[in-house]
């Protein structure tokens, strides 16, 4: 014959619920805005560092501009355009790329400061959206910033500050 197994109660005995610390929503918003502020500074530094890479194009363009043109063989026609023009294109692309990256880095750092001070809500939203271009760190930072800034309590904190 089979022996009956141990009987289990229908309801497990209720354990005393551990009291989870209740943190006010305002404190959570404040701590998240402070974290976002710090991360804006970090990503602004990374953006500034990576925006210096187009300086390679600028230096190549300067080298082409100041390089001596190759001598023409007797009876050879000059090229249809001046090769230094291509150097100026490289200087323009490198200069604009570097300047755009540094401006973005500056705005990201300023948005970090504004987040800490709860000022310029619209600027913080716009910079968070533009930061999404800078993959992968800017994308994560931009999305998290947009999520936090879209809360009504955070928006109210910006209006009262």
């Amino acid at each position: 014959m089979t022996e009956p197994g141990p009987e289990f109660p229908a309801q497990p005995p209720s354990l005393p619920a551990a009291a989870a610390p209740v943190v006010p929503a305002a404190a959570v918003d404040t701590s998240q805005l402070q974290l976002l502020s710090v991360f804006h500074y970090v990503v602004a530094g990374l953006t500034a560092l990576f925006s210096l890479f187009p300086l390679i194009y600028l230096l190549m363009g300067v080298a082409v501009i100041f390089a001596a043109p190759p001598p023409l063989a007797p009876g050879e026609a000059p090229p249809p355009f001046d090769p230094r023009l291509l150097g100026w294109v490289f200087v323009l692309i490198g200069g604009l790329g570097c300047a755009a990256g540094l401006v973005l880095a500056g705005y990201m750092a300023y948005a970090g400061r504004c987040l800490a001070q709860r000022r310029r809500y619209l600027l913080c939203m716009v910079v968070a959206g533009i930061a999404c271009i800078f993959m992968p760190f800017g994308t994560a930072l931009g999305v998290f910033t947009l999520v936090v800034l879209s809360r009504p309590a955070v928006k109210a904190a910006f209006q009262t500050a």
Side-chain angles (χ1 to χ4, degrees), residues 64-149:
V64 169
I65 290 170
F66 290 112
L72 295 175
E76 184 182 0
F81 68 93
D82 190 8
R84 291 179 289 187
L85 181 65
L86 185 63
W88 282 110
V89 170
F90 270 71
V91 166
L92 182 69
I93 289 172
L96 287 177
C98 185
L102 290 175
V103 166
L104 175 62
Y107 270 115
M108 287 176 82
Y110 183 62
R113 182 175 178 213
C114 290
L115 283 170
Q117 296 174 350
R118 315 291 180 281
R119 296 184 315 125
R120 300 189 184 262
Y121 178 80
L122 184 61
L123 175 96
C124 293
M125 291 285 280
V126 169
V127 169
I130 294 173
C132 291
I133 295 171
F134 185 59
M135 295 274 292
F137 303 116
T139 304
L141 179 66
V143 168
F144 287 134
T145 303
L146 289 172
V147 167
V148 170
L149 289 178

